[in-house]
Amino acid sequence: MSDELAASGRTLPWLAEQAGISAKALRSKLAMRADFTVVDLADIAHALGIPVSELVPPER
């Protein structure tokens, strides 16, 4: 997800605000100390203007 954020030219605080997640919670999720919910992923994808599928690992 960090790659998508960097590609968007936006900041983590911007993404947190747009996705309705606190910046602290988003940092924790990105550091894998907490899990993303499906709603989190949908909100983040919407904010970045990308499909949710770009935020999840490919099928094995």
Side-chain angles (χ1 to χ4, degrees):
M1 181 173 318
S2 296
D3 292 339
E4 291 81 5
L5 181 58
S8 75
R10 304 294 186 153
T11 64
L12 188 132
W14 175 88
L15 180 58
E17 182 178 329
Q18 295 300 307
I21 303 169
S22 74
K24 181 179 179 181
L26 183 54
R27 278 189 214 88
S28 182
K29 291 170 190 249
L30 288 170
M32 298 173 49
R33 290 189 301 268
D35 293 328
F36 286 96
T37 67
V38 173
V39 173
D40 290 338
L41 293 175
D43 291 342
I44 290 166
H46 179 72
L48 294 173
I50 61 174
V52 174
S53 60
E54 289 190 28
L55 299 177
V56 295
E59 194 175 326
R60 291 185 190 199

